[in-house]
C-alpha cells in the first residue's frame, strides 16, 4: 500500500466523519440547511466523476452534464409517474394521448435505479468507443463531448411532449423504498446522500490506486508509450468514460431527489463547465479533492450570493481565473506542494542532495 | 422552390455571421493553440460598444466599426497579456481560463449596463429589401455577407502579404526556430489575439440589428463558431469560410426538411462525425510541431 493511498484513505475517513457528524452538528440538524448541503454533496459526486476522466486519465470531458442529466431525468420520470395517476400532466398538455413506450419501464423503482446508472454508462461507453477507437485525443475530446452535450440538450428541450421541454419535470412524488418515503428535508435523507458520496468516493479512491488507475495515469502522461507496453489504451479510456458517466448518473439521481424537480439546465453548457471549475478548484488529480472542490465552490456561491446579490458571479469568475493561473493543481496541489517543501526542508542537511520537487503532471506531454 | 431559395439566403446570411466570429477564433487557435471561450464575450462587447456609441454619442453602426474594432482589440490585448500569455504551455487550461474571463466580462456588462436586452438601429441606407422574383433579401443582410467576404480577404492579405503575416506563419510552423531568427513570438501572439478579438468585436457590431443584445448573447455563438473552426481545419482561413458556408446552409436546409431544433441537432451530429473521421478538419494546414 503506497503512502499516497494511505494518505487518501485517511482523507476519505476524515471526509466521511465530517459529513456524517460534523456538518449536521454545525447546521443544528436544521432540515433546510441539511437539504442545501445534500445538494452540494450530490454535486461532489459528479465533480469527482470528472476527476476520474480528466484529472487521472487526461480526458477533458465537457459533456459531463449530459450524463448527469440522464440520471436526473431517469429518477424524475419514475417520480413523475408515481405522482400522476395515468398520464403525466405535461403530456396531456402536449396532446400526447398514450404513455410513450420508453416511459413504461420507469414505473418500476428497481429499473429506474439501474437505468440511472446504466443508461449514462452505456451512452458514455458509446461515445468512448466512437472517439477512442479513432485515437481522438486532447482538444478534440473536449469539442466532441461539448457538441454532444449541446445536441442532447436541444433534443430534450425540443421533445416537449416526451420530456417536459424547457420546463423540465416538476411536481414529483417522493421516492419510497421499502415503505419509507424520502423526505428531502429529513435527517434520514441527508444520511442517504452522505452515504452515497462516501461509497462513490471509496470507489473512486480504490480505482485511482488500483492497477487500473496506474494504467490510466500512464495514459495521461504518455498514451503512445502505454500503447507500446501492450495496453489497449482505447479500451481503458472507454471504460473510464463509462465509470465516470455512471457516477455522474448516480449524482443526477440524487440531485433530483434533493431538489424535487429535473430541468434541462442540468444539461447546459454553463453547468457542464461549472463542473470543470469545481474539479479544477479542488484539484483534478485526486477524487477527494475534486469532491471537496465542488462543496467549497458551491458553499462559497451560496454565501457570496447572500452577501453580494449582484456581483457574486463576477467574484467567482475572478477566483476561477486566478486558480487556473496560479494553482493549476487546485487546493490539492497546494497541500501536496506544501507537504513536499516541509519534507525537503527536513531532509536538507549538509552533505545530502536536495530532492527535486516532482514536476506537476499537468505540464507533461499532453496528447494533442 | 421559393422556400428553398429564401432558406438558402438565410443560410448564407447565417454563414457570414458565423464566418466573421470564426475568423478571429481561427487565427487565435491556429496560431497559438488557444481555445478562446471568451470569444463570444468579445462579440458581446462589440455589440455593446456599438449600442453605447449609437445611443450616447449618436454614431451609426457603419462609422462605429473602426472604433469598435480598436476598443475590443484593446480588451483582447489586455486579456492576452494578463492571462493567456501565462498559459501557452498548458493548452487545455486555456479553455478554462478563457471561460473564466468570459464570465467576468459578462458579469461586468450585466452590472454596468444591465441585463435587459438593448436594441440598435440598422443603418438607414441599408434598410429595405431587394427582391429578385420570389426571393426577398434584406439589404442589410446582403451587406453583411459582402462585408464578411471583405474581412476574409483582408485577413488573408494580412496573413500572406505582410511582414507580420510572414512572422506569424513562421511562428505557427515552429516557434523555437522562429525565435532563433529574431521573431518575438510573444509580441506576435499578443497582436494576433488582439486582432482576433477586434474581428469578434466587428462581428458583434454587425449582428446588433439582427440579434437582441443581451449579456449572455456570446455563449451560444462561441460554440458554433468553434465548431466552424474545427470543421474548417486548424488555422485554415479558407477552411473556416467553407465550413461556415456548409454549416450555415446545412442548418438552413435541414430546418425546412425537419424543424429548426432538429436541424441543428442533425448538423451537430454531422460535425461530430466529421471530427471523428477527419480530426484535422476539411482543409488541414501542414504544420510541424
Amino acid at each position: 500500500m503506497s503512502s499516497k493511498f494511505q494518505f487518501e484513505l485517511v482523507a476519505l475517513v476524515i471526509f466521511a466523519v465530517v459529513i456524517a457528524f460534523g456538518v449536521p452538528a454545525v447546521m443544528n440538524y436544521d432540515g433546510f440547511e441539511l437539504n442545501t448541503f445534500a445538494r452540494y454533496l450530490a454535486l461532489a459526486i459528479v465533480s469527482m466523476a470528472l476527476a476520474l476522466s480528466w484529472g487521472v486519465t487526461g480526458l477533458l470531458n465537457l459533456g459531463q452534464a449530459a450524463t448527469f442529466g440522464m440520471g436526473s431525468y431517469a429518477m424524475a420520470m419514475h417520480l413523475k409517474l408515481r405522482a400522476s395517476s395515468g398520464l403525466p400532466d405535461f403530456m396531456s398538455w402536449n396532446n400526447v394521448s398514450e404513455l410513450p413506450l420508453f416511459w413504461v419501464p420507469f414505473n418500476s423503482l428497481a429499473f429506474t435505479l439501474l437505468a440511472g446508472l446504466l443508461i449514462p454508462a452505456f451512452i458514455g461507453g458509446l461515445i468512448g468507443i466512437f472517439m477512442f477507437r479513432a485515437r481522438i485525443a486532447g482538444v478534440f475530446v473536449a469539442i466532441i463531448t461539448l457538441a454532444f452535450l449541446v445536441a442532447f440538450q436541444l433534443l430534450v428541450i425540443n421533445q416537449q411532449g416526451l420530456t417536459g421541454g424547457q420546463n423540465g419535470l416538476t411536481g414529483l412524488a417522493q421516492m419510497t423504498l421499502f415503505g419509507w418515503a424520502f423526505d428531502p428535508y429529513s435527517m434520514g435523507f441527508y444520511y442517504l446522500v452522505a452515504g452515497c458520496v462516501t461509497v462513490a468516493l471509496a470507489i473512486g479512491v480504490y480505482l485511482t490506486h488500483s492497477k487500473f488507475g496506474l494504467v490510466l495515469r500512464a495514459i495521461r502522461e504518455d498514451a503512445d508509450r502505454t500503447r507500446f507496453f501492450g495496453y489497449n489504451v482505447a479500451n481503458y479510456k472507454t471504460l473510464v468514460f463509462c465509470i465516470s458517466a455512471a457516477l455522474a448518473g448516480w449524482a443526477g439521481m440524487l440531485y433530483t431527489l434533493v431538489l424535487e424537480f429535473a430541468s434541462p439546465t442540468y444539461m447546459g453548457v454553463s453547468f457542464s463547465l461549472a463542473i470543470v471549475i469545481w474539479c479544477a478548484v479542488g484539484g483534478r488529480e485526486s477524487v477527494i479533492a475534486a469532491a471537496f472542490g465542488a462543496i467549497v465552490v458551491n458553499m462559497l456561491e451560496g454565501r457570496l450570493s447572500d452577501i453580494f446579490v449582484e456581483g457574486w458571479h463576477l467574484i467567482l469568475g475572478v477566483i476561477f481565473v486566478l486558480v487556473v493561473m496560479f494553482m493549476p493543481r487546485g487546493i490539492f496541489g497546494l497541500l501536496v506542494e506544501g507537504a513536499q517543501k516541509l519534507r525537503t526542508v527536513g531532509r536538507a542537511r549538509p552533505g545530502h542532495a536536495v530532492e527535486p520537487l516532482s514536476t506537476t503532471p499537468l505540464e507533461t506531454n499532453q496528447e494533442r | 422552390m421559393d422556400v428553398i431559395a429564401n432558406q438558402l439566403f438565410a443560410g448564407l446570411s447565417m454563414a457570414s455571421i458565423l464566418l466573421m466570429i470564426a475568423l478571429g477564433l481561427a487565427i487565435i487557435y491556429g496560431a497559438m493553440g488557444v481555445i478562446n471561450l471568451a470569444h463570444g464575450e468579445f462579440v458581446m462587447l462589440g455589440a455593446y460598444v456599438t449600442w453605447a456609441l449609437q445611443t450616447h454619442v449618436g454614431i451609426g453602426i457603419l462609422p462605429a466599426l473602426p472604433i469598435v474594432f480598436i476598443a475590443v482589440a484593446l480588451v483582447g490585448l489586455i486579456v492576452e497579456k494578463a492571462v493567456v500569455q501565462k498559459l501557452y504551455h498548458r493548452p487545455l487550461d486555456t479553455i478554462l481560463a478563457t471561460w473564466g474571463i468570459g464570465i467576468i466580462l459578462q458579469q461586468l456588462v450585466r452590472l454596468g449596463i444591465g441585463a435587459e436586452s438593448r436594441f440598435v438601429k440598422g443603418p438607414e441606407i441599408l434598410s429595405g429589401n431587394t427582391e429578385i422574383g420570389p426571393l426577398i433579401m434584406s439589404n442589410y443582410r446582403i451587406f453583411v455577407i459582402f462585408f464578411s467576404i471583405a474581412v476574409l480577404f483582408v485577413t488573408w492579405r494580412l496573413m500572406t502579404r505582410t511582414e507580420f503575416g510572414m512572422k506569424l506563419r513562421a511562428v505557427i510552423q515552429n516557434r523555437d526556430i522562429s525565435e532563433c531568427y529574431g521573431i518575438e513570438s510573444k509580441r506576435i501572439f499578443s497582436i494576433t489575439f488582439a486582432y482576433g478579438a477586434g474581428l469578434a468585436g466587428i462581428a458583434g457590431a454587425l449582428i446588433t440589428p439582427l440579434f437582441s443584445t443581451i449579456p449572455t448573447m456570446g455563449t451560444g455563438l462561441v460554440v458554433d463558431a468553434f465548431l466552424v473552426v474545427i470543421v474548417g481545419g486548424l488555422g485554415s482561413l479558407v477552411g473556416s469560410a467553407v465550413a461556415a458556408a456548409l454549416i450555415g446552409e446545412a442548418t438552413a436546409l435541414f430546418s425546412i426538411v425537419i424543424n429548426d431544433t432538429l436541424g441543428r441537432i442533425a448538423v451537430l451530429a454531422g460535425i461530430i462525425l466529421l471530427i471523428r473521421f477527419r480530426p484535422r478538419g476539411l482543409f488541414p494546414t501542414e504544420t510541424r510541431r
Side-chain angles (χ1 to χ4, degrees):
Chain A
M1 193 189 284
S2 70
S3 65
K4 271 188 186 165
F5 191 16
Q6 279 171 349
F7 176 75
E8 290 232 281
L9 278 182
V10 172
L12 177 61
V13 172
I14 295 174
F15 186 89
V17 170
V18 168
I19 59 170
F21 302 108
V23 172
V26 172
M27 307 259 173
N28 267 329
Y29 304 97
D30 177 63
F32 180 75
E33 297 266 341
L34 282 178
N35 177 267
T36 314
F37 200 78
R39 188 170 82 83
Y40 303 157
L41 289 180
L43 297 176
I45 300 182
V46 66
S47 169
M48 163 259 173
L50 181 68
L52 275 182
S53 66
W54 181 32
V56 178
T57 327
L59 306 165
L60 179 51
N61 178 1
L62 292 183
Q64 194 83 47
T67 45
F68 179 83
M70 287 174 205
S72 137
Y73 267 70
M75 181 52 87
M77 281 158 79
H78 171 69
L79 299 180
K80 186 75 194 172
L81 286 176
R82 294 232 15 255
S84 38
S85 48
L87 210 58
D89 47 11
F90 70 89
M91 285 190 185
S92 36
W93 302 335
N94 286 292
N95 302 324
V96 178
S97 51
E98 218 178 310
L99 195 64
L101 253 179
F102 75 98
W103 272 72
V104 175
F106 285 94
N107 272 312
S108 138
L109 177 62
F111 175 85
T112 304
L113 293 179
L114 270 179
L117 293 176
L118 294 185
I119 292 177
F122 178 71
I123 302 285
L126 278 188
I127 298 174
I129 290 172
F130 175 75
M131 289 193 297
F132 302 134
R133 284 283 158 85
R135 300 198 182 166
I136 299 283
V139 170
F140 297 108
V141 173
I143 299 298
I144 289 186
T145 49
L146 186 65
F148 171 74
L149 174 75
V150 174
F152 187 69
Q153 192 198 18
L154 280 172
L155 187 67
V156 170
I157 294 177
N158 183 251
Q159 297 298 313
Q160 201 161 11
L162 305 180
T163 59
Q166 193 77 58
N167 303 325
L169 297 171
T170 51
L172 304 180
Q174 284 177 0
M175 184 172 118
T176 41
L177 187 61
F178 307 125
W180 176 50
F182 286 47
D183 171 17
Y185 294 95
S186 68
M187 278 304 282
F189 177 76
Y190 174 77
Y191 278 114
L192 173 87
V193 179
C196 284
V197 176
T198 313
V199 173
L201 280 176
I203 295 173
V205 169
Y206 172 72
L207 281 179
T208 40
H209 291 284
S210 63
K211 190 188 163 208
F212 177 67
L214 191 66
V215 177
L216 293 184
R217 269 174 286 150
I219 291 172
R220 177 189 71 196
E221 297 298 315
D222 196 326
D224 283 332
R225 263 188 216 189
T226 316
R227 199 172 287 124
F228 297 155
F229 277 135
Y231 293 99
N232 189 330
V233 170
N235 284 357
Y236 274 93
K237 284 181 173 177
T238 307
L239 191 56
V240 81
F241 242 59
C242 281
I243 297 171
S244 174
L247 287 168
W250 189 2
M253 288 196 281
L254 290 175
Y255 201 68
T256 298
L257 288 178
V258 175
L259 287 187
E260 298 179 278
F261 67 91
S263 146
T265 52
Y266 300 172
M267 302 168 202
V269 175
S270 298
F271 187 77
S272 209
L273 279 153
I275 300 172
V276 179
I277 295 183
W278 307 331
C279 195
V281 169
R284 59 188 92 161
E285 297 149 71
S286 153
V287 286
I288 297 180
F292 184 67
I295 296 172
V296 168
V297 173
N298 278 294
M299 278 180 84
L300 207 65
E301 218 174 282
R303 295 280 175 270
L304 283 178
S305 60
D306 283 349
I307 306 168
F308 309 97
V309 183
E310 292 285 315
W312 63 274
H313 235 119
L314 184 66
I315 300 170
L316 213 66
V318 173
I319 293 176
F320 181 58
V321 172
L322 292 178
V323 166
V324 174
M325 286 178 68
F326 300 111
M327 295 163 50
R329 301 171 71 192
I331 299 170
F332 174 76
L334 279 191
L335 291 179
V336 172
E337 274 159 35
Q340 263 172 346
K341 270 196 191 123
L342 280 182
R343 219 182 294 163
T344 37
V345 168
R347 278 189 203 157
R349 275 163 279 144
H352 286 263
V354 178
E355 274 181 62
L357 295 176
S358 66
T359 54
T360 63
L362 308 172
E363 298 191 9
T364 52
N365 183 19
Q366 281 174 341
E367 251 189 293
R368 305 184 46 147
Chain B
M1 202 55 221
D2 307 356
V3 183
I4 294 179
N6 280 311
Q7 278 294 336
L8 280 176
F9 177 71
L12 207 58
S13 165
M14 187 184 157
S16 64
I17 293 164
L18 273 181
L19 173 62
M20 262 189 302
I21 303 171
L23 264 185
L25 262 185
I27 58 173
I28 291 174
Y29 181 55
M32 316 192 244
V34 169
I35 295 190
N36 178 20
L37 284 185
H39 207 71
E41 271 62 39
F42 291 150
V43 175
M44 182 267 298
L45 281 183
Y48 270 95
V49 173
T50 318
W51 168 78
L53 285 173
Q54 191 172 72
T55 41
H56 296 305
V57 191
I59 303 177
I61 290 186
L62 298 183
L65 285 178
I67 310 175
V68 172
F69 179 82
I70 293 168
V72 181
L74 274 179
V75 176
L77 194 67
I78 295 167
V79 166
E80 204 276 346
K81 294 246 184 234
V83 179
V84 178
Q85 204 166 75
K86 314 272 192 298
L87 298 172
Y88 282 141
H89 52 284
R90 305 199 317 246
L92 276 181
D93 281 7
T94 56
I95 301 183
L96 311 178
T98 50
W99 175 255
I101 292 165
I103 295 178
I104 295 172
L105 291 176
Q106 211 178 83
Q107 293 304 316
L108 282 177
V109 169
R110 191 192 296 271
L111 292 180
I113 303 177
E116 61 271 32
S117 90
R118 306 284 176 181
F119 297 97
V120 177
K121 272 209 308 277
E124 291 284 327
I125 332 161
L126 296 170
S127 60
N129 296 319
T130 305
E131 293 182 27
I132 304 172
L135 182 61
I136 304 167
M137 302 184 289
S138 123
N139 285 339
Y140 185 72
R141 284 181 184 267
I142 296 176
F143 164 74
V144 173
I145 292 170
F146 281 107
F147 193 87
S148 71
I149 295 170
V151 169
L152 177 69
F153 181 71
V154 169
T155 308
W156 178 76
R157 292 284 296 194
L158 182 77
M159 294 279 283
T160 54
R161 296 286 185 276
T162 63
E163 192 188 330
F164 168 76
M166 192 176 66
K167 286 179 176 172
L168 176 59
R169 281 179 294 132
V171 174
I172 295 173
Q173 289 287 332
N174 192 325
R175 188 176 169 185
D176 292 335
I177 301 289
S178 311
E179 295 234 335
C180 294
Y181 280 102
I183 299 172
E184 251 184 286
S185 60
K186 257 191 181 171
R187 231 184 109 243
I188 299 285
F189 283 166
S190 299
I191 298 172
T192 310
F193 198 91
Y195 179 73
L199 285 187
I202 291 191
L206 288 174
I207 63 175
T208 42
L210 307 173
F211 286 66
S212 55
T213 305
I214 49 172
T216 48
M217 67 191 281
T219 317
L221 292 173
V222 71
V223 175
D224 288 7
F226 204 78
L227 293 175
V228 168
V229 174
I230 294 283
V231 168
L234 275 178
S236 160
L237 297 181
V238 182
S240 296
V242 173
L246 267 180
I247 292 178
E249 291 296 350
T251 311
L253 290 182
F254 270 127
S255 59
I256 323 178
V257 185
I258 357 174
N259 66 34
D260 272 349
T261 323
L262 290 179
R264 226 174 104 67
I265 293 170
V267 170
L268 282 168
I271 290 171
I272 292 176
L273 282 171
L274 200 116
I275 299 174
R276 162 70 159 71
F277 293 105
R278 283 191 77 108
R280 301 192 56 212
L282 293 174
F283 297 89
T285 41
E286 284 304 316
T287 56
R288 291 171 203 164
R289 286 185 187 262

